[in-house]
Each structure stands twice: as C-alpha cells, then as structure tokens.
Amino acid sequence: MKNVNDLDKIITISSRVAAKRCGMSVSVTKNLLQLGTDPTRVNATLFHRQ
C-alpha cells in the first residue's frame, strides 16, 4: 500500500502544478492525469462534455 500512497501524492503534487500553469481547477487536472491525458484546456473541455 505504500506504493499506492506515494503514487497518489505524486499525482496530487503534479496536478497542483499543472493546474496553476494551465489556470484550471486541481480536481479536473487530477482526473485528467489519472486518465493518462495531458492536462490541457482542450482535454478538460472534452472531459466535461462526456
């Protein structure tokens, strides 16, 4: 379980950085990272339209 906790921490930190750079919310950025897509505005729009 330690690896899962470490992975969650890494995703959380990287989503905060990406959200700040792209001007998006942290939760959307985290969802996009977990899906394996780049956290861009275009992908966020497509994610919300589904």
Side-chain angles (χ1 to χ4, degrees):
M1 292 302 277
K2 184 178 179 184
N3 290 337
V4 173
N5 290 336
D6 291 343
L7 184 61
D8 189 44
K9 288 179 186 176
I10 291 169
I11 290 174
T12 302
I13 291 169
S14 60
S15 65
R16 287 180 184 171
V17 171
K20 190 169 186 175
R21 286 183 181 171
C22 297
M24 300 181 342
S25 69
V26 176
S27 62
V28 171
T29 308
K30 187 173 183 178
N31 287 334
L32 290 172
L33 287 173
Q34 287 175 338
L35 289 173
T37 60
D38 292 331
T40 61
R41 284 208 176 269
V42 174
N43 287 338
T45 303
L46 292 174
F47 177 74
H48 281 294
R49 287 185 181 173
Q50 289 183 354

PDB file of all heavy atoms in Angstrom, residues 14-49:
ATOM      1  N   SER A  14       1.678  16.940  -8.792  1.00  0.00           N
ATOM      2  CA  SER A  14       1.785  17.308 -10.209  1.00  0.00           C
ATOM      3  C   SER A  14       0.493  17.947 -10.721  1.00  0.00           C
ATOM      4  O   SER A  14       0.543  18.816 -11.591  1.00  0.00           O
ATOM      5  CB  SER A  14       2.165  16.099 -11.054  1.00  0.00           C
ATOM      6  OG  SER A  14       1.205  15.087 -10.931  1.00  0.00           O
ATOM      7  N   SER A  15      -0.643  17.537 -10.176  1.00  0.00           N
ATOM      8  CA  SER A  15      -1.897  18.163 -10.605  1.00  0.00           C
ATOM      9  C   SER A  15      -1.992  19.601 -10.108  1.00  0.00           C
ATOM     10  O   SER A  15      -2.523  20.463 -10.813  1.00  0.00           O
ATOM     11  CB  SER A  15      -3.106  17.356 -10.132  1.00  0.00           C
ATOM     12  OG  SER A  15      -3.207  17.355  -8.732  1.00  0.00           O
ATOM     13  N   ARG A  16      -1.468  19.878  -8.931  1.00  0.00           N
ATOM     14  CA  ARG A  16      -1.455  21.262  -8.439  1.00  0.00           C
ATOM     15  C   ARG A  16      -0.589  22.146  -9.317  1.00  0.00           C
ATOM     16  O   ARG A  16      -0.954  23.279  -9.645  1.00  0.00           O
ATOM     17  CB  ARG A  16      -0.949  21.309  -6.996  1.00  0.00           C
ATOM     18  CG  ARG A  16      -1.935  20.794  -5.998  1.00  0.00           C
ATOM     19  CD  ARG A  16      -1.379  20.875  -4.600  1.00  0.00           C
ATOM     20  NE  ARG A  16      -2.294  20.290  -3.641  1.00  0.00           N
ATOM     21  CZ  ARG A  16      -2.001  20.073  -2.387  1.00  0.00           C
ATOM     22  NH1 ARG A  16      -0.800  20.370  -1.921  1.00  0.00           N
ATOM     23  NH2 ARG A  16      -2.892  19.545  -1.572  1.00  0.00           N
ATOM     24  N   VAL A  17       0.579  21.621  -9.704  1.00  0.00           N
ATOM     25  CA  VAL A  17       1.486  22.398 -10.560  1.00  0.00           C
ATOM     26  C   VAL A  17       0.861  22.634 -11.928  1.00  0.00           C
ATOM     27  O   VAL A  17       0.868  23.757 -12.443  1.00  0.00           O
ATOM     28  CB  VAL A  17       2.843  21.665 -10.693  1.00  0.00           C
ATOM     29  CG1 VAL A  17       3.722  22.329 -11.736  1.00  0.00           C
ATOM     30  CG2 VAL A  17       3.552  21.613  -9.350  1.00  0.00           C
ATOM     31  N   ALA A  18       0.306  21.577 -12.511  1.00  0.00           N
ATOM     32  CA  ALA A  18      -0.306  21.704 -13.838  1.00  0.00           C
ATOM     33  C   ALA A  18      -1.521  22.618 -13.794  1.00  0.00           C
ATOM     34  O   ALA A  18      -1.761  23.385 -14.737  1.00  0.00           O
ATOM     35  CB  ALA A  18      -0.695  20.328 -14.361  1.00  0.00           C
ATOM     36  N   ALA A  19      -2.309  22.551 -12.727  1.00  0.00           N
ATOM     37  CA  ALA A  19      -3.486  23.413 -12.613  1.00  0.00           C
ATOM     38  C   ALA A  19      -3.080  24.877 -12.536  1.00  0.00           C
ATOM     39  O   ALA A  19      -3.722  25.741 -13.148  1.00  0.00           O
ATOM     40  CB  ALA A  19      -4.297  23.026 -11.386  1.00  0.00           C
ATOM     41  N   LYS A  20      -2.013  25.148 -11.828  1.00  0.00           N
ATOM     42  CA  LYS A  20      -1.560  26.530 -11.712  1.00  0.00           C
ATOM     43  C   LYS A  20      -1.034  27.040 -13.054  1.00  0.00           C
ATOM     44  O   LYS A  20      -1.288  28.181 -13.428  1.00  0.00           O
ATOM     45  CB  LYS A  20      -0.463  26.625 -10.654  1.00  0.00           C
ATOM     46  CG  LYS A  20      -0.090  28.027 -10.301  1.00  0.00           C
ATOM     47  CD  LYS A  20       0.791  28.077  -9.084  1.00  0.00           C
ATOM     48  CE  LYS A  20       1.026  29.519  -8.686  1.00  0.00           C
ATOM     49  NZ  LYS A  20       1.772  29.634  -7.447  1.00  0.00           N
ATOM     50  N   ARG A  21      -0.338  26.188 -13.781  1.00  0.00           N
ATOM     51  CA  ARG A  21       0.201  26.596 -15.082  1.00  0.00           C
ATOM     52  C   ARG A  21      -0.898  26.800 -16.116  1.00  0.00           C
ATOM     53  O   ARG A  21      -0.818  27.709 -16.939  1.00  0.00           O
ATOM     54  CB  ARG A  21       1.179  25.544 -15.603  1.00  0.00           C
ATOM     55  CG  ARG A  21       2.490  25.537 -14.905  1.00  0.00           C
ATOM     56  CD  ARG A  21       3.417  24.531 -15.535  1.00  0.00           C
ATOM     57  NE  ARG A  21       4.687  24.502 -14.830  1.00  0.00           N
ATOM     58  CZ  ARG A  21       5.633  23.617 -15.046  1.00  0.00           C
ATOM     59  NH1 ARG A  21       5.439  22.666 -15.936  1.00  0.00           N
ATOM     60  NH2 ARG A  21       6.748  23.657 -14.364  1.00  0.00           N
ATOM     61  N   CYS A  22      -1.900  25.932 -16.101  1.00  0.00           N
ATOM     62  CA  CYS A  22      -2.949  25.973 -17.128  1.00  0.00           C
ATOM     63  C   CYS A  22      -4.142  26.820 -16.721  1.00  0.00           C
ATOM     64  O   CYS A  22      -5.032  27.051 -17.531  1.00  0.00           O
ATOM     65  CB  CYS A  22      -3.436  24.553 -17.429  1.00  0.00           C
ATOM     66  SG  CYS A  22      -2.164  23.495 -18.104  1.00  0.00           S
ATOM     67  N   GLY A  23      -4.223  27.224 -15.465  1.00  0.00           N
ATOM     68  CA  GLY A  23      -5.353  28.014 -14.997  1.00  0.00           C
ATOM     69  C   GLY A  23      -6.621  27.198 -14.861  1.00  0.00           C
ATOM     70  O   GLY A  23      -7.713  27.697 -15.115  1.00  0.00           O
ATOM     71  N   MET A  24      -6.458  25.917 -14.480  1.00  0.00           N
ATOM     72  CA  MET A  24      -7.605  25.023 -14.327  1.00  0.00           C
ATOM     73  C   MET A  24      -7.731  24.622 -12.864  1.00  0.00           C
ATOM     74  O   MET A  24      -6.857  24.903 -12.055  1.00  0.00           O
ATOM     75  CB  MET A  24      -7.420  23.767 -15.194  1.00  0.00           C
ATOM     76  CG  MET A  24      -7.302  24.079 -16.649  1.00  0.00           C
ATOM     77  SD  MET A  24      -7.102  22.682 -17.769  1.00  0.00           S
ATOM     78  CE  MET A  24      -6.580  21.343 -16.826  1.00  0.00           C
ATOM     79  N   SER A  25      -8.822  23.955 -12.548  1.00  0.00           N
ATOM     80  CA  SER A  25      -9.003  23.501 -11.172  1.00  0.00           C
ATOM     81  C   SER A  25      -8.151  22.256 -10.932  1.00  0.00           C
ATOM     82  O   SER A  25      -7.838  21.494 -11.846  1.00  0.00           O
ATOM     83  CB  SER A  25     -10.469  23.177 -10.894  1.00  0.00           C
ATOM     84  OG  SER A  25     -10.862  22.032 -11.605  1.00  0.00           O
ATOM     85  N   VAL A  26      -7.783  22.059  -9.683  1.00  0.00           N
ATOM     86  CA  VAL A  26      -6.928  20.935  -9.306  1.00  0.00           C
ATOM     87  C   VAL A  26      -7.648  19.606  -9.515  1.00  0.00           C
ATOM     88  O   VAL A  26      -7.055  18.640  -9.988  1.00  0.00           O
ATOM     89  CB  VAL A  26      -6.454  21.081  -7.838  1.00  0.00           C
ATOM     90  CG1 VAL A  26      -5.644  19.875  -7.403  1.00  0.00           C
ATOM     91  CG2 VAL A  26      -5.641  22.342  -7.664  1.00  0.00           C
ATOM     92  N   SER A  27      -8.930  19.574  -9.228  1.00  0.00           N
ATOM     93  CA  SER A  27      -9.656  18.310  -9.353  1.00  0.00           C
ATOM     94  C   SER A  27      -9.758  17.857 -10.810  1.00  0.00           C
ATOM     95  O   SER A  27      -9.602  16.668 -11.106  1.00  0.00           O
ATOM     96  CB  SER A  27     -11.048  18.430  -8.731  1.00  0.00           C
ATOM     97  OG  SER A  27     -11.805  19.400  -9.407  1.00  0.00           O
ATOM     98  N   VAL A  28     -10.000  18.787 -11.718  1.00  0.00           N
ATOM     99  CA  VAL A  28     -10.070  18.430 -13.140  1.00  0.00           C
ATOM    100  C   VAL A  28      -8.704  17.975 -13.624  1.00  0.00           C
ATOM    101  O   VAL A  28      -8.578  16.971 -14.340  1.00  0.00           O
ATOM    102  CB  VAL A  28     -10.581  19.615 -13.985  1.00  0.00           C
ATOM    103  CG1 VAL A  28     -10.442  19.341 -15.467  1.00  0.00           C
ATOM    104  CG2 VAL A  28     -12.011  19.934 -13.629  1.00  0.00           C
ATOM    105  N   THR A  29      -7.669  18.684 -13.229  1.00  0.00           N
ATOM    106  CA  THR A  29      -6.319  18.322 -13.639  1.00  0.00           C
ATOM    107  C   THR A  29      -5.937  16.954 -13.101  1.00  0.00           C
ATOM    108  O   THR A  29      -5.335  16.145 -13.807  1.00  0.00           O
ATOM    109  CB  THR A  29      -5.317  19.386 -13.146  1.00  0.00           C
ATOM    110  OG1 THR A  29      -5.766  20.671 -13.547  1.00  0.00           O
ATOM    111  CG2 THR A  29      -3.946  19.148 -13.722  1.00  0.00           C
ATOM    112  N   LYS A  30      -6.313  16.675 -11.868  1.00  0.00           N
ATOM    113  CA  LYS A  30      -6.007  15.373 -11.280  1.00  0.00           C
ATOM    114  C   LYS A  30      -6.737  14.253 -12.022  1.00  0.00           C
ATOM    115  O   LYS A  30      -6.152  13.203 -12.293  1.00  0.00           O
ATOM    116  CB  LYS A  30      -6.387  15.361  -9.798  1.00  0.00           C
ATOM    117  CG  LYS A  30      -5.954  14.120  -9.069  1.00  0.00           C
ATOM    118  CD  LYS A  30      -6.213  14.236  -7.576  1.00  0.00           C
ATOM    119  CE  LYS A  30      -5.717  13.018  -6.843  1.00  0.00           C
ATOM    120  NZ  LYS A  30      -5.916  13.117  -5.404  1.00  0.00           N
ATOM    121  N   ASN A  31      -7.992  14.486 -12.380  1.00  0.00           N
ATOM    122  CA  ASN A  31      -8.744  13.487 -13.150  1.00  0.00           C
ATOM    123  C   ASN A  31      -8.100  13.230 -14.502  1.00  0.00           C
ATOM    124  O   ASN A  31      -8.004  12.084 -14.944  1.00  0.00           O
ATOM    125  CB  ASN A  31     -10.197  13.923 -13.333  1.00  0.00           C
ATOM    126  CG  ASN A  31     -10.994  13.814 -12.059  1.00  0.00           C
ATOM    127  OD1 ASN A  31     -10.687  13.019 -11.193  1.00  0.00           O
ATOM    128  ND2 ASN A  31     -12.017  14.628 -11.958  1.00  0.00           N
ATOM    129  N   LEU A  32      -7.658  14.277 -15.165  1.00  0.00           N
ATOM    130  CA  LEU A  32      -7.015  14.114 -16.466  1.00  0.00           C
ATOM    131  C   LEU A  32      -5.703  13.354 -16.341  1.00  0.00           C
ATOM    132  O   LEU A  32      -5.389  12.497 -17.181  1.00  0.00           O
ATOM    133  CB  LEU A  32      -6.782  15.480 -17.123  1.00  0.00           C
ATOM    134  CG  LEU A  32      -8.030  16.207 -17.603  1.00  0.00           C
ATOM    135  CD1 LEU A  32      -7.669  17.616 -18.056  1.00  0.00           C
ATOM    136  CD2 LEU A  32      -8.700  15.445 -18.717  1.00  0.00           C
ATOM    137  N   LEU A  33      -4.933  13.631 -15.305  1.00  0.00           N
ATOM    138  CA  LEU A  33      -3.682  12.906 -15.100  1.00  0.00           C
ATOM    139  C   LEU A  33      -3.934  11.438 -14.793  1.00  0.00           C
ATOM    140  O   LEU A  33      -3.192  10.565 -15.246  1.00  0.00           O
ATOM    141  CB  LEU A  33      -2.862  13.553 -13.977  1.00  0.00           C
ATOM    142  CG  LEU A  33      -2.206  14.885 -14.314  1.00  0.00           C
ATOM    143  CD1 LEU A  33      -1.572  15.491 -13.073  1.00  0.00           C
ATOM    144  CD2 LEU A  33      -1.162  14.700 -15.393  1.00  0.00           C
ATOM    145  N   GLN A  34      -4.973  11.152 -14.031  1.00  0.00           N
ATOM    146  CA  GLN A  34      -5.288   9.764 -13.717  1.00  0.00           C
ATOM    147  C   GLN A  34      -5.769   9.013 -14.951  1.00  0.00           C
ATOM    148  O   GLN A  34      -5.581   7.798 -15.044  1.00  0.00           O
ATOM    149  CB  GLN A  34      -6.329   9.691 -12.601  1.00  0.00           C
ATOM    150  CG  GLN A  34      -5.767  10.061 -11.252  1.00  0.00           C
ATOM    151  CD  GLN A  34      -6.823  10.115 -10.165  1.00  0.00           C
ATOM    152  OE1 GLN A  34      -7.997  10.274 -10.435  1.00  0.00           O
ATOM    153  NE2 GLN A  34      -6.374   9.980  -8.926  1.00  0.00           N
ATOM    154  N   LEU A  35      -6.375   9.727 -15.893  1.00  0.00           N
ATOM    155  CA  LEU A  35      -6.795   9.096 -17.151  1.00  0.00           C
ATOM    156  C   LEU A  35      -5.633   8.907 -18.115  1.00  0.00           C
ATOM    157  O   LEU A  35      -5.753   8.202 -19.105  1.00  0.00           O
ATOM    158  CB  LEU A  35      -7.873   9.946 -17.833  1.00  0.00           C
ATOM    159  CG  LEU A  35      -9.236   9.945 -17.165  1.00  0.00           C
ATOM    160  CD1 LEU A  35     -10.140  10.966 -17.851  1.00  0.00           C
ATOM    161  CD2 LEU A  35      -9.853   8.570 -17.243  1.00  0.00           C
ATOM    162  N   GLY A  36      -4.525   9.548 -17.833  1.00  0.00           N
ATOM    163  CA  GLY A  36      -3.348   9.412 -18.681  1.00  0.00           C
ATOM    164  C   GLY A  36      -3.301  10.401 -19.821  1.00  0.00           C
ATOM    165  O   GLY A  36      -2.588  10.187 -20.799  1.00  0.00           O
ATOM    166  N   THR A  37      -4.049  11.488 -19.730  1.00  0.00           N
ATOM    167  CA  THR A  37      -4.039  12.513 -20.769  1.00  0.00           C
ATOM    168  C   THR A  37      -3.324  13.755 -20.264  1.00  0.00           C
ATOM    169  O   THR A  37      -3.148  13.957 -19.062  1.00  0.00           O
ATOM    170  CB  THR A  37      -5.467  12.900 -21.186  1.00  0.00           C
ATOM    171  OG1 THR A  37      -6.162  13.406 -20.049  1.00  0.00           O
ATOM    172  CG2 THR A  37      -6.211  11.714 -21.735  1.00  0.00           C
ATOM    173  N   ASP A  38      -2.914  14.583 -21.203  1.00  0.00           N
ATOM    174  CA  ASP A  38      -2.264  15.833 -20.842  1.00  0.00           C
ATOM    175  C   ASP A  38      -3.287  16.798 -20.263  1.00  0.00           C
ATOM    176  O   ASP A  38      -4.385  16.929 -20.796  1.00  0.00           O
ATOM    177  CB  ASP A  38      -1.620  16.485 -22.069  1.00  0.00           C
ATOM    178  CG  ASP A  38      -0.442  15.697 -22.582  1.00  0.00           C
ATOM    179  OD1 ASP A  38       0.209  15.020 -21.783  1.00  0.00           O
ATOM    180  OD2 ASP A  38      -0.181  15.770 -23.800  1.00  0.00           O
ATOM    181  N   PRO A  39      -2.942  17.479 -19.185  1.00  0.00           N
ATOM    182  CA  PRO A  39      -3.881  18.433 -18.585  1.00  0.00           C
ATOM    183  C   PRO A  39      -3.911  19.756 -19.344  1.00  0.00           C
ATOM    184  O   PRO A  39      -3.283  20.732 -18.966  1.00  0.00           O
ATOM    185  CB  PRO A  39      -3.351  18.618 -17.163  1.00  0.00           C
ATOM    186  CG  PRO A  39      -1.902  18.295 -17.256  1.00  0.00           C
ATOM    187  CD  PRO A  39      -1.752  17.287 -18.353  1.00  0.00           C
ATOM    188  N   THR A  40      -4.628  19.768 -20.459  1.00  0.00           N
ATOM    189  CA  THR A  40      -4.785  20.984 -21.244  1.00  0.00           C
ATOM    190  C   THR A  40      -6.246  21.424 -21.214  1.00  0.00           C
ATOM    191  O   THR A  40      -7.117  20.657 -20.819  1.00  0.00           O
ATOM    192  CB  THR A  40      -4.362  20.750 -22.708  1.00  0.00           C
ATOM    193  OG1 THR A  40      -5.199  19.740 -23.268  1.00  0.00           O
ATOM    194  CG2 THR A  40      -2.913  20.326 -22.808  1.00  0.00           C
ATOM    195  N   ARG A  41      -6.494  22.643 -21.626  1.00  0.00           N
ATOM    196  CA  ARG A  41      -7.872  23.155 -21.632  1.00  0.00           C
ATOM    197  C   ARG A  41      -8.751  22.368 -22.603  1.00  0.00           C
ATOM    198  O   ARG A  41      -9.918  22.146 -22.341  1.00  0.00           O
ATOM    199  CB  ARG A  41      -7.880  24.627 -22.006  1.00  0.00           C
ATOM    200  CG  ARG A  41      -7.430  25.523 -20.888  1.00  0.00           C
ATOM    201  CD  ARG A  41      -8.092  26.881 -21.035  1.00  0.00           C
ATOM    202  NE  ARG A  41      -7.755  27.723 -19.926  1.00  0.00           N
ATOM    203  CZ  ARG A  41      -8.482  27.786 -18.820  1.00  0.00           C
ATOM    204  NH1 ARG A  41      -9.531  27.049 -18.681  1.00  0.00           N
ATOM    205  NH2 ARG A  41      -8.134  28.587 -17.836  1.00  0.00           N
ATOM    206  N   VAL A  42      -8.189  21.951 -23.722  1.00  0.00           N
ATOM    207  CA  VAL A  42      -8.970  21.199 -24.709  1.00  0.00           C
ATOM    208  C   VAL A  42      -9.401  19.859 -24.111  1.00  0.00           C
ATOM    209  O   VAL A  42     -10.566  19.458 -24.228  1.00  0.00           O
ATOM    210  CB  VAL A  42      -8.144  20.988 -25.998  1.00  0.00           C
ATOM    211  CG1 VAL A  42      -8.878  20.095 -26.976  1.00  0.00           C
ATOM    212  CG2 VAL A  42      -7.806  22.313 -26.630  1.00  0.00           C
ATOM    213  N   ASN A  43      -8.478  19.162 -23.464  1.00  0.00           N
ATOM    214  CA  ASN A  43      -8.826  17.890 -22.846  1.00  0.00           C
ATOM    215  C   ASN A  43      -9.810  18.074 -21.699  1.00  0.00           C
ATOM    216  O   ASN A  43     -10.678  17.232 -21.483  1.00  0.00           O
ATOM    217  CB  ASN A  43      -7.576  17.171 -22.351  1.00  0.00           C
ATOM    218  CG  ASN A  43      -6.760  16.602 -23.484  1.00  0.00           C
ATOM    219  OD1 ASN A  43      -7.269  16.381 -24.567  1.00  0.00           O
ATOM    220  ND2 ASN A  43      -5.490  16.369 -23.240  1.00  0.00           N
ATOM    221  N   ALA A  44      -9.687  19.169 -20.961  1.00  0.00           N
ATOM    222  CA  ALA A  44     -10.633  19.435 -19.875  1.00  0.00           C
ATOM    223  C   ALA A  44     -12.029  19.675 -20.430  1.00  0.00           C
ATOM    224  O   ALA A  44     -13.015  19.195 -19.862  1.00  0.00           O
ATOM    225  CB  ALA A  44     -10.172  20.641 -19.063  1.00  0.00           C
ATOM    226  N   THR A  45     -12.122  20.376 -21.548  1.00  0.00           N
ATOM    227  CA  THR A  45     -13.425  20.609 -22.175  1.00  0.00           C
ATOM    228  C   THR A  45     -14.041  19.296 -22.646  1.00  0.00           C
ATOM    229  O   THR A  45     -15.221  19.044 -22.431  1.00  0.00           O
ATOM    230  CB  THR A  45     -13.275  21.577 -23.356  1.00  0.00           C
ATOM    231  OG1 THR A  45     -12.684  22.786 -22.880  1.00  0.00           O
ATOM    232  CG2 THR A  45     -14.616  21.881 -23.981  1.00  0.00           C
ATOM    233  N   LEU A  46     -13.231  18.464 -23.281  1.00  0.00           N
ATOM    234  CA  LEU A  46     -13.733  17.162 -23.736  1.00  0.00           C
ATOM    235  C   LEU A  46     -14.141  16.292 -22.565  1.00  0.00           C
ATOM    236  O   LEU A  46     -15.127  15.567 -22.628  1.00  0.00           O
ATOM    237  CB  LEU A  46     -12.659  16.459 -24.568  1.00  0.00           C
ATOM    238  CG  LEU A  46     -12.330  17.094 -25.914  1.00  0.00           C
ATOM    239  CD1 LEU A  46     -11.141  16.374 -26.543  1.00  0.00           C
ATOM    240  CD2 LEU A  46     -13.529  17.021 -26.823  1.00  0.00           C
ATOM    241  N   PHE A  47     -13.394  16.364 -21.481  1.00  0.00           N
ATOM    242  CA  PHE A  47     -13.697  15.580 -20.284  1.00  0.00           C
ATOM    243  C   PHE A  47     -15.044  15.978 -19.697  1.00  0.00           C
ATOM    244  O   PHE A  47     -15.832  15.137 -19.298  1.00  0.00           O
ATOM    245  CB  PHE A  47     -12.578  15.764 -19.255  1.00  0.00           C
ATOM    246  CG  PHE A  47     -12.811  15.052 -17.956  1.00  0.00           C
ATOM    247  CD1 PHE A  47     -12.676  13.675 -17.882  1.00  0.00           C
ATOM    248  CD2 PHE A  47     -13.148  15.746 -16.810  1.00  0.00           C
ATOM    249  CE1 PHE A  47     -12.874  13.020 -16.683  1.00  0.00           C
ATOM    250  CE2 PHE A  47     -13.348  15.096 -15.615  1.00  0.00           C
ATOM    251  CZ  PHE A  47     -13.207  13.729 -15.549  1.00  0.00           C
ATOM    252  N   HIS A  48     -15.335  17.276 -19.675  1.00  0.00           N
ATOM    253  CA  HIS A  48     -16.594  17.744 -19.111  1.00  0.00           C
ATOM    254  C   HIS A  48     -17.789  17.472 -20.014  1.00  0.00           C
ATOM    255  O   HIS A  48     -18.912  17.358 -19.537  1.00  0.00           O
ATOM    256  CB  HIS A  48     -16.515  19.246 -18.815  1.00  0.00           C
ATOM    257  CG  HIS A  48     -15.797  19.545 -17.557  1.00  0.00           C
ATOM    258  ND1 HIS A  48     -16.269  19.185 -16.319  1.00  0.00           N
ATOM    259  CD2 HIS A  48     -14.621  20.175 -17.327  1.00  0.00           C
ATOM    260  CE1 HIS A  48     -15.409  19.571 -15.397  1.00  0.00           C
ATOM    261  NE2 HIS A  48     -14.410  20.163 -15.977  1.00  0.00           N
ATOM    262  N   ARG A  49     -17.557  17.362 -21.308  1.00  0.00           N
ATOM    263  CA  ARG A  49     -18.659  17.137 -22.244  1.00  0.00           C
ATOM    264  C   ARG A  49     -19.108  15.675 -22.274  1.00  0.00           C
ATOM    265  O   ARG A  49     -20.168  15.379 -22.806  1.00  0.00           O
ATOM    266  CB  ARG A  49     -18.259  17.568 -23.642  1.00  0.00           C
ATOM    267  CG  ARG A  49     -18.198  19.068 -23.776  1.00  0.00           C
ATOM    268  CD  ARG A  49     -17.928  19.480 -25.182  1.00  0.00           C
ATOM    269  NE  ARG A  49     -17.847  20.940 -25.261  1.00  0.00           N
ATOM    270  CZ  ARG A  49     -17.496  21.586 -26.346  1.00  0.00           C
ATOM    271  NH1 ARG A  49     -17.191  20.930 -27.439  1.00  0.00           N
ATOM    272  NH2 ARG A  49     -17.445  22.892 -26.339  1.00  0.00           N
TER     273      ARG A  49
END
